[in-house]
Each structure stands twice: as structure tokens, then as C-alpha cells.
Amino acid sequence: MTAPVPSRLSPTAGLLNALARLYIRRAVPFIAIQEKAREEAINLNHRLRTARDFADTEAAGYIDRSYLEEP
């Protein structure tokens, strides 16, 4: 025979639930800040990598700028 579901949680379970709710409430803004910083780092890395690739291509002579110098 199974026992009925207790109508009241133990004090420890209530404390654990309260701590979990508190952590979730406080973590949401912090997670958003971390995601924004991560996106900025990814964008910076992309810009730097693109600039480096462009400089390497220009140094190798693959970019034709003759059309810029003619009137």
C-alpha cells in the first residue's frame, strides 16, 4: 500500500526551494550581462580577424586598387 502524499513539505525542502527561487531571480540579470559580453567579444574577434585577413590579402597584392587612382 502506498502512503498518501504529504500535505506539507519539510522545512529543509522549503528552504531549498526558497534558495533555488532566490538564485534564479538573481541570476537572470547576471546571465544577460554575460551573454552581452560574450556577443561583444565574438564581434570584436570577428572584426579583428576580418581586418587581419584584409591586411594579409593586401600585403600579398591580391587587392586591385588601380580603379581608385584613376580620375
Side-chain angles (χ1 to χ4, degrees):
M1 182 174 221
T2 60
V5 176
S7 60
R8 176 176 165 289
L9 293 175
S10 71
T12 306
L15 176 64
L16 183 63
N17 287 339
L19 289 175
R21 285 192 306 271
L22 178 65
Y23 171 76
I24 291 169
R25 186 173 53 231
R26 290 186 177 179
V28 169
F30 184 67
I31 291 170
I33 292 169
Q34 286 181 326
E35 288 177 348
K36 184 177 178 184
R38 179 180 171 269
E39 289 174 9
E40 289 174 0
I42 289 171
N43 289 336
L44 175 63
N45 186 23
H46 178 70
R47 286 193 306 270
L48 292 174
R49 191 172 53 238
T50 302
R52 181 73 257 163
D53 289 347
F54 183 80
D56 290 344
T57 303
E58 188 175 26
Y62 294 123
I63 297 176
D64 180 19
R65 294 179 178 264
S66 62
Y67 66 90
L68 295 174
E69 298 170 358
E70 295 177 359

